[in-house]
Each structure stands twice: as C-alpha cells, then as structure tokens.
Amino acid sequence: MQRKVISIVLAGILVVGILSGCGSATDSSAVQLINVSYDPTRELYEAYNQMFAEHWKEQTGQEIEVTQSHGGSGKQALEVANGLEADVVTLALEYDVKAVEDAGLIDSGWIDEFSLDSSPYTSTIVFLVRKGNPKDIRDWDDLVRDDVSIITPNPKTSGGARWNYLAAWAYAKQLYNSDEIQIKKFIQKLYQNVLVLDSGARGATTSFIENGQGDVLVAWENEAFLSIQDYPNDYEIITPSISILAQPSVAVVDSVVDSKQTREAATEYLNYLYSEKAQRIAGDNYYRPSNEEILQEYKDVFDLDIHLVTIDDFGGWEEAQETHFADGGIFDQIYEK
C-alpha cells in the first residue's frame, strides 16, 4: 500500500515509529515516549506526534520523541504485559488495556483518568468491496451467502476483529429475535466464508487490497476510508444496517512512566488527544472525534445515522470476552466446527 512508515527494532520486535521534534535520539534533553497501539492507527499517530511535539516544545521548551509500535491489539497488550516498555497504550478496546492492568502495570481506575471512558475518538465497522460492488453486498446477511468470500482478522488476536464479530452478532440477534441457536448458525456460516483470518486489521487489509483475496473486507471504518484514499477508483464502502460503536481506549502505563520519570509527558500526550486540533487530526484520519461539535464538521464523511449498538448491549467487555472470545468460548466452539 502507499502509506510510508519508519521501522526500527525495539526489544526484539518490529516497531513502526516516527521521531517527532528536533531532538535526536542521543539528545539526553529530549523526552522519549513509546506509544504501543493497534494496527490501523499508524497514520493517525504519525500526524498527531508531529503536532504534539510542537505543543510540548511550546509548553516546556523540551524536544520530545515518540516511537510507535503497531500490531493486533490483543497481541500488543500481551507484548506490553511481557515487558515491552510502553509509556502509553492506545489500544482497540477496553479489555486489552485491562489485560495490561491485570499484569500489574497500570493502576486501577485508568478508565476514568481521561474523558469519555478514556476514549478520545471512536469508530465503527463497515464493509469494503471492489468498485461497482460486483457481489451486490448490502448487509450482514449477504456475508453468509455461498458465493461470498470474506476477509476479517482473528478475534483471538485482533481487537478490531472482536468489534467485527460483535457487530455481526448484533445483526443476527435482531434478525432471529434473540434465538441464540440461529444466531450461532449465522456466525458459524459467516466464518465458514472467511478465506484468511489475519492476526490484525492491517494484515487483513493487505490480504484484501494487495493480495486480491476475498469479495469483502470487514473493516474498521477508518481503515476502509484510508483504502479508498489510496485507491479511489478501485473500492467503495458499504455501511451495514447495524454496526457497533467501537471505542478504542488509551492509558498511561504507570509502572513504566514512574520508572522512566515520563509521567508528565505521557499524561499530556493522551490528554492532548482531546484538544480541538487533535480531534480534527482524528477526523482527518477517518476516526470519529469524541467532541460532538467537531464530529458534526465531518457529517459529510461519516454516516452519523447508522444504528450502532454498544458494548453495554453485550454486558460490557468482561462479559463479552468471557462469553465469546475466551478459550472455549462461543467463537472457539463455532470455529472448531
């Protein structure tokens, strides 16, 4: 794809990063932060890091360098829990941040540290199809047809994939009037139609765009828009009748910032995501700003009338994870069949 990133190796894993500000990596006066994020936020944080470096310089006189790490959200949470020294995590969902908390690295109460449950921007789930929509895919029920092949990431490793699964479940729940037997059959058929179950959302996009696999990509809304931006004549977005309000979560990794003495910078890094400038960067990168007034500035971009269920309709993330995605949960039962 046409998006350019800088790659370095950190702690034994490939890290995609951008160095912001004027300081060099050897300049001891420069503050250095690591933001461990999920797959489709690369472009968002490349733009944000540059703006934040200017803000931090104006506020403190210091240079700041921010390194980005990207991958499937669940996998990223595991990397941090296993020792990747993130100052902040900006993951796809609350449950993945909770996994870092459970590892003893984030203090309890993090969800209330920033506004709106520490979710500075939102997204939802849409379909990306080839131009002209040759398979006439309009809604979730088209994804269970025998002639349709699907690309979506793996809910066991990808936060976006869990949002995909739950959005499909919400549609089937309405279609079958909460008959769980029929809902499970619907979800099972949907996953029988999946050609490739990539570990993360960006890998799934690569399978669909670069490798030409599948008839439809079930994707983050922002990821679908970025694909249209890169290939305006090749793809189009289909908005299903029901989707889900996807709320990516952000948190300071307390044990790391206390050790590195970077708490002030890390806290401001996340807090500034709620600024008007940052909210517009989110909108420009096809995330829905959490600021309702700024969101309205993008009403010609986003379908603001789409019916969105929320994670509360599934009992919250603890219950959704245990029921659907834990080992032996409904996804495992369906996929094994």
Side-chain angles (χ1 to χ4, degrees), residues 155-156 162 165-166 317 320-327 329 331:
K156 303 291 280 190
R162 277 170 272 178
Y165 170 103
L166 293 176
W317 267 113
Q321 178 70 24
E322 183 65 26
T323 300
H324 295 277
F325 309 118
D327 290 345
F331 176 75

Side-chain angles (χ1 to χ4, degrees), residues 119-324:
S119 181
Y121 43 80
T122 66
S123 190
T124 189
I125 303 304
V126 298
F127 306 151
L128 187 69
V129 299
R130 292 181 173 81
K131 199 72 172 181
N133 195 6
K135 289 294 182 76
D136 195 29
I137 294 167
R138 302 295 174 186
D139 215 336
W140 292 100
D141 55 347
D142 292 312
L143 271 57
V144 300
R145 289 174 9 210
D146 290 339
D147 65 328
V148 171
S149 57
I150 303 166
I151 303 296
T152 183
N154 189 340
K156 303 291 280 190
T157 56
S158 165
R162 277 170 272 178
W163 291 118
N164 295 355
Y165 170 103
L166 293 176
W169 186 281
Y171 175 88
K173 182 178 180 180
Q174 176 176 285
L175 180 66
Y176 294 112
N177 196 27
S178 300
D179 183 335
E180 189 161 307
I181 293 176
Q182 293 302 317
I183 297 170
K184 287 180 178 179
K185 288 181 178 179
F186 182 94
I187 300 297
Q188 181 178 348
K189 175 57 179 171
L190 189 152
Y191 280 93
Q192 284 175 343
N193 285 352
V194 173
L195 285 183
V196 180
L197 209 60
D198 288 288
S199 63
R202 184 56 58 88
T205 302
T206 298
S207 292
F208 185 70
I209 301 288
E210 295 188 4
N211 301 337
Q213 297 176 298
D215 299 308
V216 56
L217 172 68
V218 184
W220 288 96
E221 183 178 52
N222 71 290
E223 186 78 346
F225 272 113
L226 286 173
S227 298
I228 296 284
Q229 178 179 285
D230 286 348
Y231 304 96
N233 299 318
D234 297 335
Y235 301 96
E236 60 186 84
I237 294 172
I238 304 298
T239 302
S241 62
I242 293 178
S243 195
I244 192 165
L245 178 66
Q247 294 178 287
S249 297
V250 303
V252 172
V253 183
D254 295 286
S255 65
V256 173
V257 299
D258 288 343
S259 174
K260 293 174 58 179
Q261 298 183 334
T262 54
R263 178 176 291 278
E264 182 181 357
T267 301
E268 181 60 11
Y269 181 79
L270 297 184
N271 187 59
Y272 199 62
L273 285 167
Y274 294 87
S275 69
E276 290 188 3
K277 287 183 178 180
Q279 289 285 289
R280 290 191 176 93
I281 281 182
D284 290 345
N285 284 275
Y286 305 110
Y287 279 95
R288 297 182 177 217
S290 61
N291 182 314
E292 287 294 328
E293 291 184 4
I294 295 177
L295 175 61
Q296 289 300 317
E297 297 177 12
Y298 294 87
K299 63 183 179 182
D300 293 335
V301 177
F302 303 120
D303 181 353
L304 301 182
D305 296 323
I306 183 176
H307 176 199
L308 298 178
V309 300
T310 72
I311 193 60
D312 291 339
D313 293 305
F314 296 87
W317 267 113
E318 290 286 346
E319 183 173 332
Q321 178 70 24
E322 183 65 26
T323 300
H324 295 277

Side-chain angles (χ1 to χ4, degrees), residues 13 71-80 96 156-158 162 199:
I13 67 168
S73 187
K75 184 175 182 295
Q76 291 291 83
L78 183 62
E79 293 282 3
V80 176
D96 289 335
K156 303 291 280 190
T157 56
S158 165
R162 277 170 272 178
S199 63

